[in-house]
Amino acid sequence: MTRSRLAAGMAALAALPAAAQDYTTAAEVKPILLLTKAQWIAIREFDGKDLIYFTNLLAWRCGVEQIAWGINGGPATTVMPMEPCHEDTAQPNALLMETILPYAEAPLGAITSVSLAVTFDDGSVETAEYERKAVLMP
């Protein structure tokens, strides 16, 4: 991350209102997600498969309309299912993982790169590209 991008992210965070926040809108979660863009996904080799983890994005999904992804240079058109925001609770972004898991599966070694398109509830879209070796978990 460049120094100017970090400074811009910190300035965006500082501009947020001082009152307690639920982090349920793009205005609240986008600055956090932009600061953690390098960690939006991780790839893990497990049980004979490649697993693409979206945990960081899903943990800040309130304020996100859609997470779409593609592999190996393909367009980001596969939509990642997301739990709804639990706005009636103290932690609306909590992951309950009762029916939706925070990862997608692919055959072992099949993924060389991942492309993402994250659409926020304000209509803006952020994209990212990741090489396997940069996000492969040990």
Side-chain angles (χ1 to χ4, degrees):
M1 177 180 300
T2 65
R3 222 174 250 252
S4 62
R5 187 174 192 121
L6 179 60
M10 296 303 288
L13 282 174
L16 292 174
Q21 301 185 16
D22 292 332
Y23 296 96
T24 58
T25 67
E28 295 168 324
V29 302
K30 189 191 256 184
I32 295 163
L33 286 175
L34 291 178
L35 286 173
T36 62
K37 197 170 188 175
Q39 292 83 33
W40 278 3
I41 64 157
I43 296 173
R44 178 182 181 204
E45 296 175 350
F46 181 76
D47 200 23
K49 300 175 212 154
D50 279 350
L51 304 180
I52 308 169
Y53 282 89
F54 296 85
T55 314
N56 184 7
L57 285 169
L58 293 172
W60 296 102
R61 74 192 175 285
C62 299
V64 172
E65 288 290 323
Q66 177 176 280
I67 300 167
W69 57 279
I71 61 170
N72 304 338
T77 56
T78 302
V79 176
M80 181 64 192
M82 296 189 296
E83 289 181 29
C85 294
H86 308 293
E87 294 190 53
D88 57 339
T89 71
Q91 296 176 332
N93 282 296
L95 291 170
L96 302 181
M97 294 187 281
E98 294 172 336
T99 59
I100 299 174
L101 296 174
Y103 60 84
E105 298 180 1
L108 183 64
I111 300 170
T112 58
S113 65
V114 177
S115 55
L116 288 179
V118 177
T119 305
F120 292 90
D121 68 7
D122 64 4
S124 63
V125 178
E126 286 289 328
T127 60
E129 299 284 333
Y130 303 90
E131 293 298 319
R132 178 188 186 93
K133 65 183 176 186
V135 294
L136 187 62
M137 295 169 52

